[in-house]
């Protein structure tokens, strides 16, 4: 697991950090070729979310989210976005490529591992496909998360 992924996992909600570490390690063990998975996004502040929401609306670029600040599971530390890193340096969002030539697309291998641990995949959404996105089932309703009390570090209390 690379340093960037470790740093991003450390910012997730404490209740999922160890699990995400296991998931990433298992994904990387399954990917026996050039690719490894990296967490490209984890916890996101409300203001960071608002910046993304503005993209394609009040700021240049294409729309990348339908969620305003507070309306994303990322804002509570229960969602991650991933990317495949080839040879330790090049990002790939090719979700169909089988870099380790085992007959299964590398991304599909990761999707199955996340699912085994109880995470849903944004590629299964019907209205807005978000292929890099995973969120913890049971903690994937921002309205419920928004209403919960928080600890001194601003993490929601379970």
């Amino acid at each position: 697991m690379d340093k960037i992924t470790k740093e991003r996992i450390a910012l997730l909600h404490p209740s999922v950090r160890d699990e995400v570490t296991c998931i990433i390690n298992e994904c990387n063990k399954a990917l026996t070729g050039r690719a490894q998975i990296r967490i490209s996004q984890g916890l996101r502040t409300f203001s960071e979310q608002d910046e993304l929401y503005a993209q394609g609306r009040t700021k240049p670029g294409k729309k990348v989210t339908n969620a305003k600040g507070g309306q994303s599971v990322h804002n509570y530390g229960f969602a991650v976005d991933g990317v495949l890193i080839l040879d330790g340096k090049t990002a790939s969002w090719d979700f169909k490529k089988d870099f380790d030539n085992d007959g299964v697309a590398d991304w599909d291998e990761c999707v199955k591992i996340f699912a085994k641990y109880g995470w849903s995949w944004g590629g299964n959404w019907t209205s807005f496909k978000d292929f890099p996105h995973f969120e913890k089932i049971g903690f994937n309703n921002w309205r419920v998360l928004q209403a919960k009390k928080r600890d001194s570090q601003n993490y929601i209390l379970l």
Side-chain angles (χ1 to χ4, degrees):
M1 177 183 321
D2 67 8
K3 180 182 176 203
I4 293 168
T5 296
K6 287 179 184 176
E7 290 169 353
R8 291 180 177 147
I9 289 172
L11 298 175
L12 294 174
H13 192 278
S15 67
V16 296
R17 290 177 191 160
D18 288 343
E19 183 172 87
V20 174
T21 298
C22 289
I23 292 168
I24 298 303
N25 286 335
E26 195 169 326
C27 287
N28 286 337
K29 186 177 178 183
L31 302 176
T32 59
R34 304 172 47 209
Q36 296 283 277
I37 190 168
R38 171 182 286 171
I39 302 293
S40 58
Q41 285 272 290
L43 181 68
R44 206 181 281 147
T45 66
F46 285 23
S47 60
E48 289 169 330
Q49 189 68 40
D50 284 335
E51 287 291 316
L52 286 175
Y53 183 80
Q55 190 175 318
R57 291 176 177 86
T58 59
K59 293 188 175 184
K62 75 174 210 172
K63 290 180 183 178
V64 293
T65 184
N66 288 327
K68 295 177 183 177
Q71 297 177 345
S72 170
V73 179
H74 281 286
N75 300 146
Y76 305 95
F78 291 102
V80 297
D81 292 341
V83 61
L84 294 176
I85 300 294
L86 306 178
D87 303 320
K89 57 187 174 199
T90 305
S92 171
W93 283 273
D94 185 338
F95 300 107
K96 296 182 180 183
K97 186 75 174 162
D98 178 16
F99 293 105
D100 58 4
N101 297 312
D102 64 358
V104 180
D106 288 5
W107 197 254
D108 286 345
E109 293 181 64
C110 294
V111 167
K112 288 175 187 165
I113 292 167
F114 270 92
K116 181 175 94 172
Y117 284 86
W119 290 68
S120 64
W121 177 45
N124 288 330
W125 295 349
T126 54
S127 62
F128 181 83
K129 299 262 186 210
D130 190 354
F131 292 100
H133 183 86
F134 298 92
E135 54 189 39
K136 181 67 177 168
I137 296 170
F139 299 94
N140 53 344
N141 183 329
W142 64 267
R143 286 180 178 90
V144 172
L145 296 172
Q146 194 174 53
K148 291 200 177 272
K149 292 183 180 182
R150 296 172 181 273
D151 67 14
S152 61
Q153 295 180 301
N154 207 30
Y155 289 109
I156 63 163
L157 297 170
L158 300 179

